[in-house]
Amino acid sequence: MSEKKHMLCPKDNHYMKLAHRAKKVRFRDTLIEYNAERYRCPDCGTETATIPQAAQIQKSISDSYREKTGLLTGKDIVRKRKELKLSQQDLAHRIPVGIASIKRWEGTAIQTKSMDQLLRNALQGKVCGDPYTGNREFSTGRIKVLLSHFEFQLNRKILKKGDRLLYAAKYAWYADMLAFRERGEGITGATYAALPNGPQINNYKDLIDDIINADISAITPLTNEEKRFVERVARTFPRDNDVYKAVHNEPVWKEKMTGALIPYTDAERLTKI
Ligand SMILES: [Zn+2]
């Protein structure tokens, strides 16, 4: 790292010395400590970093932040990938994302919680997870539990016989996608398709009676975190018309061919929540 033998202080032209110290910084609302190598003037205290030092500092900040917030660090990703004898391209295929994302995450870019979960799966040697179920098992009972909490929050019925989940599916979609984006796991395991009226539970016609009639006594209730996702969606879209309009403005729905499945990884690109 010490590629320069001499560095002159920009203020007084004295020789600066290499200094290694732990520093504290507030980054994305989190106080982190990172190691920094830079040059320091012994006379006036001015500090400066060369370009490679500055890059190293950025890496150190990014990794400290990721370590503190429970994400894989750039170093973790490189180490685990090499243990599995995977190239960056191999890892990219497993997730699946572009190789540029792997390069960025192994450097200083900070992956979202959902991408972190996908990275962990891929690095545990799991073959490419199904991007259409949000990392969980499908359960009609869970859909019913989810929609019941929406009804409680919205103070009206949205799970109705005969309306083809017209609004209910849109509320469920936002909640599942939001949960996936924030914590790497959906709520219901449902697969969603892009239909002309918006995102819809795939094969909903075959599922609708099962959802309405599901016995929820044996279904895992929503966690507090999941309830908060529902509450956030309900607050953002208080009326049927709000959620209807919002989904029709989501690029991830607009860009799909009719009937195409919407992967949970699209949650990264939602614009209305
Ligand atoms: Zn100086």
Side-chain angles (χ1 to χ4, degrees), residues 89-103:
Q89 185 65 70
D90 295 336
L91 180 57
H93 276 148
R94 282 192 178 196
I95 293 189
V97 290
I99 186 172
S101 296
I102 304 295
K103 289 183 174 166

Side-chain angles (χ1 to χ4, degrees), residues 9 12 41 44 46:
C9 173
D12 53 27
C41 173
C44 71
T46 296

Side-chain angles (χ1 to χ4, degrees), residues 22-269:
K23 293 219 162 208
K24 281 188 181 158
V25 69
R26 187 162 281 283
F27 182 75
R28 292 192 184 180
D29 278 339
T30 304
L31 189 64
I32 55 165
E33 210 175 273
Y34 66 99
N35 288 309
E37 181 198 275
R38 45 183 113 197
Y39 284 93
R40 185 170 194 283
C41 173
D43 298 312
C44 71
T46 296
E47 292 191 348
T48 182
T50 61
I51 289 171
Q53 282 171 341
Q56 194 54 45
I57 288 168
Q58 280 217 319
K59 235 179 138 97
S60 184
I61 290 174
S62 167
D63 275 358
S64 301
Y65 173 81
R66 286 189 275 185
E67 199 172 344
K68 190 144 186 191
T69 52
L71 299 169
L72 291 168
T73 66
K75 276 187 204 149
D76 291 337
I77 300 169
V78 174
R79 181 175 45 77
K80 292 186 182 191
R81 176 172 64 74
K82 291 190 170 162
E83 277 170 17
L84 289 168
K85 298 190 169 44
L86 296 174
S87 67
Q88 288 178 321
Q89 185 65 70
D90 295 336
L91 180 57
H93 276 148
R94 282 192 178 196
I95 293 189
V97 290
I99 186 172
S101 296
I102 304 295
K103 289 183 174 166
R104 285 199 301 269
W105 295 329
E106 290 189 354
T108 58
I110 294 162
Q111 67 277 22
T112 59
K113 198 104 188 129
S114 55
M115 285 299 165
D116 192 69
Q117 193 56 50
L118 296 178
L119 266 169
R120 281 172 198 272
N121 290 348
L123 289 168
Q124 277 165 15
K126 286 188 196 165
V127 185
C128 164
D130 179 349
Y132 300 109
T133 56
N135 282 327
R136 68 184 300 154
E137 208 171 318
F138 175 63
S139 157
T140 50
R142 269 243 139 191
I143 297 177
K144 186 172 181 182
V145 168
L146 174 70
L147 293 177
S148 302
H149 196 59
F150 265 115
E151 294 187 332
F152 174 70
Q153 286 299 321
L154 295 166
N155 198 25
R156 58 190 163 81
K157 275 202 92 59
I158 57 170
L159 181 54
K160 303 175 202 164
K161 246 192 151 77
D163 83 341
R164 305 174 159 224
L165 304 175
L166 185 60
Y167 304 107
K170 293 171 179 62
Y171 279 113
W173 182 68
Y174 267 127
D176 263 333
M177 295 291 267
L178 179 62
F180 183 81
R181 189 178 73 196
E182 306 280 311
R183 62 162 189 189
E185 189 186 48
I187 296 173
T188 69
T191 296
Y192 294 90
L195 295 194
N197 273 327
Q200 176 58 280
I201 294 171
N202 198 35
N203 300 325
Y204 70 98
K205 285 179 195 159
D206 299 326
L207 297 171
I208 209 157
D209 287 338
D210 285 352
I211 295 169
I212 289 174
N213 300 323
D215 170 14
I216 56 169
S217 61
I219 299 294
T220 318
L222 297 186
T223 64
N224 287 334
E225 187 186 41
E226 289 170 337
K227 286 181 181 168
R228 283 197 295 274
F229 295 138
V230 172
E231 286 152 22
R232 194 164 141 199
V233 174
R235 245 195 341 266
T236 311
F237 312 114
R239 296 166 308 160
D240 285 345
N241 194 36
D242 299 323
V243 77
Y244 191 90
K245 260 173 48 190
V247 296
H248 283 81
N249 283 305
E250 291 291 359
V252 300
W253 171 78
K254 286 202 272 190
E255 74 195 15
K256 301 274 185 308
M257 308 265 287
T258 295
L261 300 182
I262 308 173
Y264 279 75
T265 43
D266 277 355
E268 306 282 319
R269 294 192 291 123

